[in-house]
Amino acid sequence: MSYAQAVGETVRALRVIRGRWADLLLAIETPPADHWPPRQLAHTMRDGDDELLVEDRAPLVLREHPAPLNLGALDAGQAVERLIFNLADTLAAAVQRTEQGDPRAWLSPDPAAPDSHRAAGSRRHGLHFACVWVEGRVLDEDTAPEVELDGAISAPPYEVLPLYLLHEARRTARIAEARVLRALGLDLRETPLPEPCPWCAGELILHSAPDGPPSVTCSGARDCSAPVPLDGAERARVWGWDDLPELIAALGVDISAAA
Ligand SMILES: [Zn+2]
C-alpha cells in the first residue's frame, strides 16, 4: 500500500464514522430492528421525512443512557469512542506542539489522573471533533512554519505524522468504521428474506453494503416473471433501490413499521 493510499483510506474511514455517528446515537435509543425492510427505505418512503430530520434529532455526544434500547449499538458507540480518543491521544503525544489553550490542540490527558480530569480534555468535544482532529494529523495539516504579524517565524503547531503512526491511524479508523457499520446493519451482508418471491416463490436475498443502497435478488432468474432485470450473470432477478418499493408492495410488507 502506498503512502497516498494509506492516507486516503484513513480519511475515508474517519468520514464514514463521522457521517454515521448521529445514526448510531439514535440507534441506541431505538429497539434493534430487523434488516428487512431496510430502515433507509422507510425514511425515503415516508412523506416529509429526510436525512435532515435525523440530524436534527440526533444528540452529538454519547450520553449516559439510563435505559438504552439497543445494547449492541451502545457497545459499539463506546468502543468507537475509546478507539478514536485513544488514537488522538497517541498522535497528540507524538506530533502536537500546540499549547493546551490553543483551540487546535488535542489535550493529552494524564492517564494517572482521576477519571473526572481525564474526561475534561478534548474528549468533551465528542467523537466528531476527534475524527476531524485525527484527519488533520493524517493529512499533515498545520505542519508548515507560520509567519507572525511582526514577520517573525514561529514553529508550526504540529509535526509531520511519522509513517508508523499513519499505519496505526489507518488500522484503528478501519476497525472503528467496521464497528459503526456493523451496528447499523450497513456492513456487507446477505440476509434471506422471510417471504418467498411473489412472482415465482423463489428465495429472496437482501444484499446490503456500506457504500451503496441495498438490493434484493430472486433465485428464480429466467423462471421468475418479476418485472425487473437479471443480474450480469443472469442467475437472479435484481430489485435495485428504485425497484424496492414495488417489491415491498407486492410482498404486502408494512414499511412504516421499519422506521
Ligand atoms: Zn422470483
Side-chain angles (χ1 to χ4, degrees), residues 123-211:
R123 287 157 197 257
R124 166 167 64 85
H125 298 306
L127 182 95
H128 197 274
F129 174 82
C131 285
V132 171
W133 189 91
V134 169
E135 182 177 324
R137 303 298 67 75
V138 166
L139 292 172
D140 287 333
E141 289 174 0
D142 294 325
T143 53
E146 294 180 332
V147 181
E148 307 285 345
L149 285 176
D150 63 5
I153 295 176
S154 65
Y158 299 101
E159 292 172 36
V160 170
L161 198 65
L163 189 60
Y164 78 95
L165 283 179
L166 170 62
H167 288 305
E168 171 68 19
R170 173 181 162 272
R171 193 183 66 85
T172 305
R174 294 286 305 271
I175 292 170
E177 176 198 18
R179 286 290 312 249
V180 169
L181 292 175
R182 196 160 66 236
L184 291 172
L186 293 172
D187 52 337
L188 188 65
R189 66 171 88 181
E190 299 188 349
T191 315
L193 298 191
E195 307 93 349
C197 173
W199 286 272
C200 76
E203 188 187 22
L204 296 177
I205 301 211
L206 171 67
H207 304 260
S208 43
D211 49 2

Side-chain angles (χ1 to χ4, degrees), residues 197-202 204 218-221 224-226 237 239:
C197 173
W199 286 272
C200 76
L204 296 177
C218 169
S219 59
C224 176
S225 62
R237 293 272 171 205
W239 287 264

Side-chain angles (χ1 to χ4, degrees), residues 29 101 118 177 211 254:
E29 300 172 351
R118 297 193 58 188
E177 176 198 18
D211 49 2
D254 179 9

